[in-house]
Amino acid sequence: MFLILVLSVGLNSGCVFAAGNSTTAQTSTNFIVGYYINPNVTPISEINFKDLKSAGITDIYVLVTNKNYLSVLPEAKEKADDVGIRTHAWVFPGFNHASQVAQMKIGVQLDMETYNIPAHLLQILTMRLATYGVTFSVTVKPEGWDGNQYYYLIAPLCDYIVPQLYVGDYKYGTTRLKNTAKKYNQIYNLYSILFPGKIVAGLETYQSDENVTPKNTSTLSAEINAVKPYTRGVILFRYGLSNFNGLG
């Protein structure tokens, strides 16, 4: 369901302003407030990074492929650096240039949406080794909501895991969201001595895949407040304007 979506940011959309209103008060020095950008839909040149910074965004995750990473990432990093936002490449399996991205001092997030995580551990490990010295994260389906995602196997191989806690798509409410984040915190903080701060919650800024109406400020704020005590941060997803059609 999620793999076919291309998520994008549009600075004139209600999603961004709702995100800004709800995240500014939540942001602390170490709490991540991330946003996904699809430059094929919203070119980097059209994004006002000062607005993102004012909205409380600390990190951006920019969708790139084998073909366009060299043309997209330098511009994104330069603009993000100017306002104090961290840059990450958002990539799917089959991306072959993680080491080159790391040499650009840009983090990498691998979008690994599968029901067979053990079969992909070597790929995750390979990308972890290729990104030594920068942040490496893995976004996956939510453990317990959508099968066994083997977070305990992923945890040692990345800086943080991003479960896609999309309450609208899974028909859950804020209470279930809070309890799930709390459970993740309790379970995966068994790793706390060796692997602290492992969970960053992925939250959608729209109602669901079936209803792409942007959530209002109070709804987003409630979701962020529900997970904040138990997570290292949040990353906000917005419904894309086109389907994901594979890596170039």
Side-chain angles (χ1 to χ4, degrees), residues 151 160-161 163 165 184-185 188 197-201 230-233:
Y151 287 4
Y160 51 85
I161 300 168
L165 295 170
Y184 289 166
N185 181 63
Y188 299 107
K198 277 296 170 180
I199 301 296
V200 174
Y230 313 109
T231 64
R232 182 174 172 176

Side-chain angles (χ1 to χ4, degrees), residues 121-136:
L121 288 176
L122 180 58
Q123 182 177 179
I124 295 172
L125 173 60
T126 299
M127 194 167 286
R128 166 72 285 183
L129 295 174
T131 56
Y132 181 77
V134 301
T135 299
F136 174 60

Side-chain angles (χ1 to χ4, degrees), residues 19-140:
N21 291 337
S22 64
T23 60
T24 301
Q26 313 298 329
T27 306
S28 64
T29 302
N30 298 317
F31 191 75
I32 294 169
V33 182
Y35 216 97
Y36 285 85
I37 296 173
N38 174 11
N40 297 316
V41 176
T42 308
I44 299 299
S45 61
E46 296 181 8
I47 297 174
N48 187 325
F49 280 77
K50 290 182 180 179
D51 285 352
L52 284 181
K53 182 69 173 180
S54 296
I57 301 301
T58 64
D59 295 68
I60 56 169
Y61 300 78
V62 183
L63 180 65
V64 293
T65 68
N66 290 320
K67 286 185 177 180
N68 72 358
Y69 79 98
L70 280 176
S71 62
V72 171
L73 291 177
E75 180 185 9
K77 178 173 170 54
E78 180 181 4
K79 291 179 179 294
D81 283 353
D82 284 346
V83 298
I85 291 175
R86 294 179 291 260
T87 304
H88 308 257
W90 167 29
V91 305
F92 281 80
F95 184 74
N96 300 320
H97 302 284
S99 61
Q100 289 91 332
V101 172
Q103 290 168 15
M104 298 162 68
K105 305 300 181 184
I106 293 173
V108 175
Q109 181 167 118
L110 176 62
D111 198 318
M112 182 62 70
E113 300 171 48
T114 176
Y115 290 105
N116 190 9
I117 286 291
H120 297 275
L121 288 176
L122 180 58
Q123 182 177 179
I124 295 172
L125 173 60
T126 299
M127 194 167 286
R128 166 72 285 183
L129 295 174
T131 56
Y132 181 77
V134 301
T135 299
F136 174 60
S137 55
V138 182
T139 182
V140 289

